[in-house]
Amino acid sequence: MSNTMHALQLVKYGSPEEAFSYNEQAPKPAIKSKHQVLVRIKAAGVNPVEAKGSSGNMKLATFPMKLPAVIGADFSGIIEEVGTAVKDFQVGDEVFGSLQLPMFLEGTFAQYTVVDTTKASIAKKPANVSFEQAASAGIAAITAYHGIIHNGKTFKNPDLNRKILIVGASGGVGSYGVQFGKAINKENTVVGICSSPNAKYVQSLGADRVVDYKDKAAYDAFITEEKGTFDIVFDCVGGEEYYNQLDPLLKKGGVYSTAVGPMEHAGSDYVGISQIASIAAKLVYKKLFGRHAYYFIHILPHGEFRDKISKFFESGAVHGTIADDSNIVPLREGVRAFEQLHTHRTVGKIVLQMD
């Protein structure tokens, strides 16, 4: 058996073309713990955090790596080897999930990865979900689950009809947010904010209404008419402008849940000590003095992926978010996927398909 594999390696920090190199002779990882499994990857999801990390903009916030390295978190594939203490999985199982952040030395942008079954998100892939769609889950689905169900406190009374607003509803996390908003209770009213070209896609996910943020008259009217009507605002874009506009839309006792925080598209530009300090100060202020409960997602509930999050996929209540075939990119063309992520105009998730 070969000890090498095809991989998209991070070779330096910079633009996607500078940062990544396709290597057909990269070292293949091996199991080092009795709790690990070796997965032959079929597809790997690509996330904004990996684009920002590879650009060098988040060096202070990511684990320092010795380059070249294989990064990536989300995966779907087939187990080829199991550690001696692994009980829930066996060779041949089709699985999906996500490794833990921060950046990884043996990530998923390759033909093989090692998954620690006691730490990472890993579950058996439902037969009704393709490998590509399963790979689009991972970080995006876990983040949306955390933002809507944990931070929104919807688990306390799932039968209560709620009104939920999703900012950036057509993106990777937002598209899962729309689905979870409906999955917990189909009677919930889910409103998505996105641009008009993506409205049909967001509606296809279950949104009851879509607001075009580029249509100033319509957007301003929405802000005026909907004050004090929402139970949850789930912000997948970030920034002070959205917070100042949308926090007043919450009812008394409502929740503002954000996947990004006070800086819009945080990490798209260099994040230094002063930026981190500013973000931290704003988070503390909102937490202590905000008009509504404010939650910033900084830790993901990987432990709930197998027993809770994956069940939504099994039932069909939540499905993958690959909008069309153009979002499935061959591994050797992975640079193209990162170039698309840097535009902040990605609809749904992009996945890398293995050779």
Side-chain angles (χ1 to χ4, degrees):
M1 185 177 293
S2 174
N3 59 359
T4 63
M5 64 179 180
H6 297 180
L8 185 70
Q9 291 182 312
L10 178 66
V11 294
K12 65 178 292 187
Y13 296 105
S15 68
E17 189 172 358
E18 296 172 322
F20 292 100
S21 177
Y22 180 71
N23 184 358
E24 295 186 348
Q25 296 295 318
K28 179 181 172 181
I31 288 178
K32 301 181 180 69
S33 160
K34 61 184 180 180
H35 298 290
Q36 293 178 338
V37 296
L38 178 68
V39 177
R40 176 165 57 88
I41 297 177
K42 301 289 286 185
V46 181
N47 295 285
V49 66
E50 293 140 0
K52 296 167 184 177
S54 63
S55 70
N57 290 337
M58 298 176 65
K59 285 184 180 179
L60 293 177
T62 56
F63 189 80
M65 293 178 291
K66 181 180 178 181
L67 303 181
V70 177
I71 64 171
D74 302 345
F75 66 90
S76 67
I78 302 171
I79 292 179
E80 286 204 350
E81 186 180 347
V82 298
T84 56
V86 176
K87 303 301 181 185
D88 297 333
F89 301 97
Q90 59 186 7
V91 173
D93 282 347
E94 297 180 352
V95 293
F96 73 129
S98 181
L99 306 182
Q100 283 188 309
L101 291 174
M103 292 294 185
F104 320 101
L105 299 180
E106 293 181 346
T108 62
F109 300 158
Q111 289 179 314
Y112 289 88
T113 196
V114 170
V115 182
D116 188 322
T117 60
T118 65
K119 297 178 181 178
S121 297
I122 181 171
K124 293 180 182 179
K125 182 186 75 65
N128 61 312
V129 182
S130 69
F131 281 109
E132 290 74 22
Q133 292 289 6
S136 78
I139 288 176
I142 300 168
T143 302
Y145 171 88
H146 193 62
I148 297 291
I149 294 177
H150 271 221
N151 292 351
K153 313 297 182 185
T154 56
F155 61 90
K156 291 185 175 180
N157 189 353
D159 295 328
L160 180 66
N161 293 349
R162 293 175 172 86
K163 194 171 181 180
I164 303 171
L165 178 63
I166 313 289
V167 186
S170 60
V173 176
S175 55
Y176 275 114
V178 173
Q179 293 184 69
F180 277 113
K182 281 294 189 181
I184 53 179
N185 184 350
K186 64 181 180 181
E187 299 302 321
N188 284 343
T189 298
V190 176
V191 180
I193 294 179
C194 66
S195 61
S196 57
N198 301 330
K200 286 186 178 180
Y201 173 67
V202 174
Q203 288 170 333
S204 74
L205 299 174
D208 299 283
R209 179 183 177 186
V210 176
V211 179
D212 181 3
Y213 69 92
K214 291 185 176 181
D215 185 337
K216 188 176 186 308
Y219 183 76
D220 289 347
F222 168 74
I223 296 296
T224 301
E225 295 165 1
E226 297 290 343
K227 288 189 186 300
T229 66
F230 284 90
D231 298 284
I232 303 168
V233 171
F234 182 41
D235 177 14
C236 306
V237 176
E240 293 290 84
E241 186 175 1
Y242 267 131
Y243 175 77
N244 292 333
Q245 291 171 347
L246 303 179
D247 186 65
L249 272 57
L250 287 167
K251 298 176 181 177
K252 183 179 179 180
V255 171
Y256 196 98
S257 174
T258 177
V260 184
M263 181 182 291
E264 184 174 356
H265 300 304
S268 297
D269 297 313
Y270 180 73
V271 178
I273 294 175
S274 61
Q275 287 84 1
I276 292 174
S278 175
I279 291 171
K282 290 175 180 176
L283 289 173
V284 170
Y285 182 86
K286 290 176 173 61
K287 191 76 173 178
L288 295 178
F289 305 110
R291 288 171 292 181
H292 302 96
Y294 183 90
Y295 297 99
F296 169 56
I297 299 171
H298 61 285
I299 298 176
L300 297 180
H302 285 280
E304 296 186 38
F305 187 84
R306 190 181 312 173
D307 295 329
K308 295 182 179 180
I309 299 174
S310 68
K311 304 305 180 186
F312 286 95
F313 289 87
E314 289 178 13
S315 69
V318 173
H319 54 79
T321 58
I322 300 174
D324 57 53
D325 289 345
S326 67
N327 279 15
I328 301 175
V329 179
L331 180 67
R332 64 179 62 243
E333 298 174 23
V335 168
R336 179 158 58 88
F338 282 92
E339 289 174 342
Q340 189 172 339
L341 276 179
H342 278 291
T343 68
H344 305 300
R345 294 291 180 268
T346 302
V347 179
K349 281 290 295 289
I350 302 173
V351 302
L352 302 177
Q353 192 175 54
M354 296 305 124
D355 301 327

